[in-house]
Amino acid sequence: MALAAAVMTIVIFTACTQEPREINLLIPVDYANVPDDMILTDFHTDKIEVRIKCRPKHIETLSKKSLVYPADIYTDLAFDPAGGTDAIEPGRYLLPLDKTRIPLGRSTSIVNITPSYLGIRLEKKVTRVFKVTVPLIGKTAKGYLARSAVCDPATVALTGAKSLINGIEQLTTKPVDLTNANKNFKKQVPLDLGRPELFTAAQSIFVVSVQIHPLTGTRTIEQIPIQIQNRPEKKVSIEPSTISIDLKGPHENLNNTTVTDKIYAFMDLEGLKPGVYARHAYIDIPVELVMTNASPRVFTVKIE
């Protein structure tokens, strides 16, 4: 028991007599009180390096804290506090670092701070309305074509630093993928801003509508046999015995045998007596297709 007490006393004594050490802390800077009509651009110091001296035990305590250096732009730049924020002009500034704003505790001393000033740039805040365009990527399904995408709403108000806003030539959403699309669709798409933290948009999500239309084409089908309906008991001959037609419609249907095999030509001879007749043929075509021409148009029918 006496031995254990002696060991504990030695450990406590050793801990209490540890010499202070120097270490470097990297502390982020939190900028507050930016004038309402201005914006802090990305051209500023976002971290400072603080070299401190303290006992090892206190180092452990500091490592568990979320240390932040609070930079008060209005306080640091307003030469005439009574003048308000309108006394602050756009431009580049160096803000002196205030050691008292770093909450390290009395047992810690600051050896050095790098840099000794915070470099910032203030710009006028402006708002501009942009037309929103939608870039399309990928290929639709074979035989289909995409129309230009429609964005709802079509415009958006964007607020940011004057130089950044004026540098935007075109405002777009994230790309919309058309891969294998074969029908109309709608999709929610966000704006594509390179540095969204530097801008404030009146709306960030847009409803994009894309119209997908089948490609149209033409096709000729030749030598379709003429079928006879209500055939007389007598011998019948038709000259010529086939017809050729020109079709127009979606590529997908023009080249689909399931559709084109439904096409047939016929002639109704009900009530005709023996003789020679000039007759037209009827063409039955699926609703997906349109006939633009037929050859021949008149046939010779002989009934013996």
Side-chain angles (χ1 to χ4, degrees):
M1 190 68 165
L3 179 60
V7 171
M8 186 178 295
T9 302
I10 293 172
V11 170
I12 293 174
F13 178 78
T14 302
C16 293
T17 57
Q18 284 183 345
E19 293 295 326
R21 291 169 49 194
E22 291 188 6
I23 64 165
N24 291 328
L25 299 176
L26 197 61
I27 301 177
V29 180
D30 179 29
Y31 291 94
N33 284 335
V34 179
D36 292 337
D37 62 340
M38 293 189 197
I39 191 168
L40 185 67
T41 69
D42 57 341
F43 303 103
H44 61 266
T45 307
D46 60 351
K47 293 183 181 66
I48 59 173
E49 186 176 19
V50 181
R51 187 165 185 82
I52 64 171
K53 185 176 183 180
C54 63
R55 295 185 182 280
K57 184 177 181 180
H58 193 57
I59 293 175
E60 293 182 18
T61 303
L62 290 175
S63 65
K64 297 176 183 179
K65 290 184 177 181
S66 298
L67 296 175
V68 174
Y69 178 82
D72 190 320
I73 291 179
Y74 174 69
T75 300
D76 292 340
L77 290 183
F79 301 105
D80 179 11
T85 56
D86 56 355
I88 301 175
E89 297 291 335
R92 295 179 182 271
Y93 296 93
L94 293 176
L95 307 181
L97 281 164
D98 185 353
K99 294 182 179 181
T100 61
R101 296 182 188 175
I102 305 176
L104 297 177
R106 295 181 178 180
S107 59
T108 301
S109 60
I110 296 177
V111 178
N112 185 47
I113 301 179
T114 306
S116 56
Y117 289 86
L118 299 176
I120 66 168
R121 179 180 176 183
L122 290 175
E123 289 194 49
K124 276 291 184 183
K125 183 189 294 183
V126 297
T127 298
R128 178 179 159 194
V129 176
F130 290 88
K131 179 182 178 181
V132 181
T133 58
V134 182
L136 302 176
I137 59 173
K139 293 184 178 180
T140 58
K142 187 176 181 181
Y144 288 87
L145 177 68
R147 302 277 183 169
S148 297
V150 176
C151 191
D152 183 25
T155 61
V156 65
L158 194 65
T159 301
K162 185 176 180 179
S163 64
L164 299 176
I165 293 292
N166 291 343
I168 299 176
E169 296 181 0
Q170 187 179 50
L171 194 62
T172 67
T173 65
K174 294 289 186 180
V176 172
D177 192 357
L178 300 176
T179 301
N180 293 328
N182 60 5
K183 60 182 178 181
N184 301 341
F185 67 90
K186 289 184 178 182
K187 186 176 183 180
Q188 290 188 333
V189 187
L191 278 177
D192 188 9
L193 293 174
R195 295 288 301 277
E197 69 274 12
L198 299 179
F199 301 95
T200 301
Q203 182 161 338
S204 58
I205 302 294
F206 298 80
V207 177
V208 174
S209 303
V210 182
Q211 299 287 322
I212 306 292
H213 296 271
L215 289 169
T216 59
T218 59
R219 179 183 175 185
T220 299
I221 299 181
E222 299 179 336
Q223 296 183 343
I224 301 173
I226 305 296
Q227 302 179 36
I228 298 175
Q229 293 184 0
N230 297 311
R231 176 188 288 271
E233 296 180 357
K234 306 294 183 179
K235 182 179 179 181
V236 178
S237 64
I238 299 175
E239 292 294 336
S241 61
T242 63
I243 187 172
S244 298
I245 62 173
D246 294 332
L247 298 172
K248 181 180 180 180
H251 277 287
E252 182 184 35
N253 294 326
L254 287 172
N255 299 296
N256 187 340
T257 56
T258 303
V259 176
T260 57
D261 285 351
K262 295 178 182 179
I263 299 173
Y264 69 93
F266 66 95
M267 194 176 291
D268 191 344
L269 303 182
E270 183 179 9
L272 292 183
K273 297 179 180 180
V276 178
Y277 302 89
R279 303 285 289 184
H280 295 285
Y282 297 93
I283 312 297
D284 196 312
I285 299 174
V287 294
E288 297 93 337
L289 303 173
V290 176
M291 186 178 72
T292 58
N293 190 36
S295 181
R297 293 180 178 272
V298 180
F299 297 82
T300 302
V301 178
K302 291 182 180 180
I303 302 177
E304 296 182 4

